[in-house]
Amino acid sequence: MLEREIVGCLQGMAVGDALGLPREGLSPRRAALLFPNANRFYFLFGRGMFSDDTEHACMTAQSLLVSDGDPARFRHTLGWRLRWWLLGMPLSIGRATSKSIVKLWFGASLSGVWSAGNGPAMRAPILGVCFGNQPDRLRELIRISTQLTHLDPKAQWGALVIARAAYLAAQSSDRVLKLAEAVRDLISVLPAEAVELFSLIEHVGLSIEASQTTEAFAAELGLSRGISGYMLHTVPVVLHAWLSFPDDYRAAVQAVIRCGGDADSTAALVGGIVGARVGKEGIPQEWRRGLCEWPRDLRWMERLGHRLAEALASNQPRKSVPLSIFGLIARNLLFNMVVVAHVLRRLLPPY
Ligand SMILES: [Mg+2]
């Protein structure tokens, strides 16, 4: 049964996303000025809410639940979840993702647009946890999930590596994760054309061996002003934070948040990968209690994880876990208002 790993992955993403969100798009320097304490939430009076990253992870989990990983059914149900999700007017959504979902609404059979943004990576950790033991099926599910929104093969390779990372984390929770083994394994899932990502992953291994911090590693990649949403920027930095602290949720998430930039997505990914290994017990209690979320709260994620683990164990699709539509509308209204307040706040000092 994968319940512990699935719940740890979803909740780990939610908490990381919520911690990183106020800092999204800020340079490390400005983020430290505005939000000095890396241990607390700053979104809404000291509480946290999560963004599209966690929502995509939950939609992917629901799609696995009702399709039992059958590729055609998975594509159909995930496509519809993305369509309805866009109608909820999520803020701070990537351009490729919004364009391609509009295309889905107009009935395009190939909905993705040419982009190597990190959007598909948000849907990858849960796929890796659930189907990492079936490499061909995982590859197929990652292809489907990626091409719904992103067509540049780099997006697919990045998502595949993130999925594999989550699988390695979940699978090895009872033993020490060896750096060299993990690097070799991650590279082995890539096709020969993925040379650039291949050498970036090798670079991650060498950097950690040399005891470099994740921040210093990011600076070496030319990302000292923050991690961008480009897949080949996001993935190596996320892998670096994870492999630096594979058993320490707090340290791994803080290491990637300190790098600035797309902090909600990078912290969600690191949180999802480490969470799959340490489970919900490994996520700091005060952080789990600090979320202000409904109807998709941590308990709802536990129900989803429980049902998905049962479905996978019995090879039987199940009904999705219900969500109150009115609850979602009210939640999104509040969320969007707070995001606008943060955008305005950023116009003011300290700069
Ligand atoms: Mg986000």
Side-chain angles (χ1 to χ4, degrees):
M1 284 284 274
L2 282 170
E3 183 171 343
R4 181 184 165 281
E5 290 79 3
I6 294 171
V7 172
C9 178
L10 291 174
Q11 293 194 353
M13 283 193 83
V15 170
D17 185 351
L19 275 167
L21 186 61
R23 299 166 170 89
E24 183 183 10
L26 295 175
S27 69
R29 199 188 60 83
R30 183 102 199 279
L33 282 173
L34 287 172
F35 310 113
N37 186 348
N39 259 313
R40 64 166 284 218
F41 292 105
Y42 282 99
F43 189 70
L44 178 62
F45 306 118
R47 308 289 297 274
M49 292 177 86
F50 51 67
S51 68
D52 54 336
D53 307 79
T54 306
E55 292 172 343
H56 278 239
C58 292
M59 284 189 278
T60 308
Q62 293 265 51
S63 303
L64 287 178
L65 183 58
V66 299
S67 67
D68 191 38
D70 172 74
R73 293 214 314 256
F74 175 73
R75 186 190 186 285
H76 177 82
T77 179
L78 183 57
W80 275 105
R81 278 167 210 282
L82 290 172
R83 284 181 184 93
W84 291 116
W85 172 76
L86 189 71
L87 293 191
M89 291 200 293
L91 289 185
S92 84
I93 157 178
R95 202 163 356 123
T97 303
S98 52
K99 258 194 193 170
S100 49
I101 301 176
V102 170
K103 281 172 78 180
L104 270 177
W105 268 115
F106 282 97
S109 56
L110 192 59
S111 53
V113 298
W114 190 265
S115 163
N118 62 12
M122 330 173 190
R123 304 188 284 271
I126 191 70
L127 290 172
V129 169
C130 294
F131 283 96
N133 60 346
Q134 301 174 44
D136 292 334
R137 172 97 70 113
L138 177 63
R139 205 176 293 273
E140 176 69 355
L141 293 171
I142 287 286
R143 187 187 64 76
I144 291 167
S145 154
T146 302
Q147 290 186 346
L148 275 168
T149 52
H150 292 65
L151 294 181
D152 187 326
K154 289 191 201 86
Q156 208 171 299
W157 302 334
L160 188 60
V161 166
I162 292 293
R164 185 72 188 179
Y167 169 66
L168 285 180
Q171 184 213 27
S172 61
S173 57
D174 50 349
R175 63 181 175 87
V176 180
L177 188 71
K178 293 212 181 72
L179 175 66
E181 254 175 58
V183 166
R184 255 201 315 277
D185 186 290
L186 294 171
I187 287 173
S188 74
V189 302
L190 289 171
E193 313 91 88
V195 266
E196 206 182 341
L197 185 51
F198 184 103
S199 64
L200 282 167
I201 297 173
E202 277 188 330
H203 191 167
V204 170
L206 294 174
S207 163
I208 295 175
E209 253 167 43
S211 311
Q212 207 173 27
T213 63
T214 304
E215 264 175 296
F217 171 72
E220 235 178 59
L221 299 185
L223 302 171
S224 54
R225 294 180 51 83
I227 312 307
S228 82
Y230 175 47
M231 194 63 105
L232 297 194
H233 288 162
T234 298
V235 172
V237 176
V238 164
L239 295 179
H240 195 286
W242 162 51
L243 289 169
S244 298
F245 304 102
D247 299 294
D248 188 339
Y249 182 92
R250 187 192 297 269
V253 165
Q254 287 181 343
V256 84
I257 284 179
R258 269 197 299 275
C259 296
D262 197 3
D264 60 324
S265 301
T266 55
L269 292 173
V270 172
I273 296 171
V274 180
R277 180 169 167 95
V278 299
K280 67 174 182 181
E281 297 79 12
I283 303 170
Q285 275 306 313
E286 77 271 20
W287 285 358
R288 292 184 69 241
R289 277 197 293 265
L291 286 190
C292 167
E293 275 294 346
W294 78 94
R296 217 186 274 116
D297 56 10
L298 294 187
R299 234 194 267 142
W300 180 86
M301 288 177 196
E302 278 178 41
R303 278 202 295 280
L304 174 56
H306 177 73
R307 207 180 275 192
L308 179 53
E310 272 185 359
L312 293 170
S314 63
N315 284 318
Q316 289 292 329
R318 299 277 304 266
K319 277 205 192 106
S320 57
V321 182
L323 266 177
S324 150
I325 182 83
F326 298 108
L328 278 178
I329 291 170
R331 183 263 177 209
N332 285 357
L333 269 176
L334 174 70
F335 178 82
N336 287 353
M337 271 167 18
V338 181
V339 168
V340 170
H342 273 267
V343 170
L344 295 175
R345 169 66 188 89
R346 286 180 181 195
L347 300 174
L348 305 171
Y351 299 111

